[in-house]
Amino acid sequence: MDDLLLDPLDIALLVQLQRDSHATNQVVGERLGLSPSQVSRRTQRLESLGVIRAYVALLDPTLLSLAVRSFTHVTLARHGGEEGAAFERAIGEFPEVLDCYAIAGEADYLLQIVAASLNELSESVLRRLTRLPGVVSVRSSIVLNRIKASTELPLGHIGQPSGHQRRVRLVQRPG
């Protein structure tokens, strides 16, 4: 895969966009000492390279009556082959599942799930999970209090105090 060159202004732009993607090019430019057209060109370049994948509105789940959050470990009888692929396809049909990770360790998958109530989590989500072919174990931890939540990626490892550009290896994203 190709190397991507990011200079300190690219990194500063990414930091600003992570904090407020709704800010205008004018506002971001003022913060970074760039013209709005320079901000626009750099942003378009980062979008075309896939560094910026999307712009989203982050909603407050509690205000939308989704106050229950769980982290759920799922173990399959056989992780590989068609059983794993079937589980991964099926989990895409669960709107309550915010994240699904294939993991190493005692379980095969880790899910982040939101629900309106413990009953809904138990009855509609976990019960459906246990009925998926190949699922042998489902263990959930219920979140009591959210201590830290962030969508901002740490970019300090990319920055160069000397002002030089930094090469970042572009990797192929799965399907």
Side-chain angles (χ1 to χ4, degrees):
M1 193 103 280
D2 297 329
D3 281 350
L4 166 68
L5 287 176
L6 295 178
D7 65 22
L9 286 173
D10 290 328
I11 296 163
L13 174 60
L14 291 171
V15 168
Q16 290 297 313
L17 291 175
Q18 283 191 113
R19 290 184 181 155
D20 183 5
S21 67
H22 200 59
T24 65
N25 290 340
Q26 177 73 36
V27 169
V28 173
E30 289 171 4
R31 291 176 184 161
L32 301 179
L34 296 172
S35 70
S37 62
Q38 289 172 311
V39 171
S40 177
R41 281 193 300 276
R42 284 177 179 269
T43 302
Q44 288 172 0
R45 175 178 165 264
L46 294 167
E47 289 169 350
S48 70
L49 290 170
V51 174
I52 298 172
R53 294 187 324 198
Y55 298 91
V56 299
L58 298 176
L59 308 179
D60 186 321
T62 303
L63 293 177
L64 297 169
S65 298
L66 294 169
V68 176
R69 183 179 305 258
S70 78
F71 289 91
T72 300
H73 292 85
V74 177
T75 304
L76 302 182
R78 287 183 306 279
H79 179 75
E82 181 52 34
E83 197 167 79
F87 175 83
E88 291 173 16
R89 283 190 302 273
I91 210 66
E93 301 300 317
F94 284 68
E96 307 89 348
V97 175
L98 301 181
D99 295 299
C100 176
Y101 301 96
I103 59 173
E106 293 181 26
D108 297 311
Y109 295 94
L110 176 63
L111 312 178
Q112 181 183 183
I113 303 171
V114 294
S117 67
L118 285 172
N119 188 53
E120 181 182 306
L121 176 69
S122 175
E123 293 299 319
S124 71
V125 181
L126 299 179
R127 188 166 292 200
R128 286 186 308 165
L129 272 177
T130 58
R131 290 182 180 148
L132 292 176
V135 171
V136 295
S137 172
V138 174
R139 293 181 303 114
S140 291
S141 296
I142 306 300
V143 173
L144 298 177
N145 191 14
R146 193 175 198 184
I147 307 304
K148 179 184 178 184
S150 178
T151 61
E152 292 184 30
L153 295 177
L155 301 178
H157 69 287
I158 300 172
Q160 294 292 314
S162 64
H164 292 83
Q165 291 184 329
R166 170 79 185 248
R167 290 190 182 275
V168 178
R169 176 77 51 195
L170 286 175
V171 296
Q172 187 72 18
R173 283 196 312 263

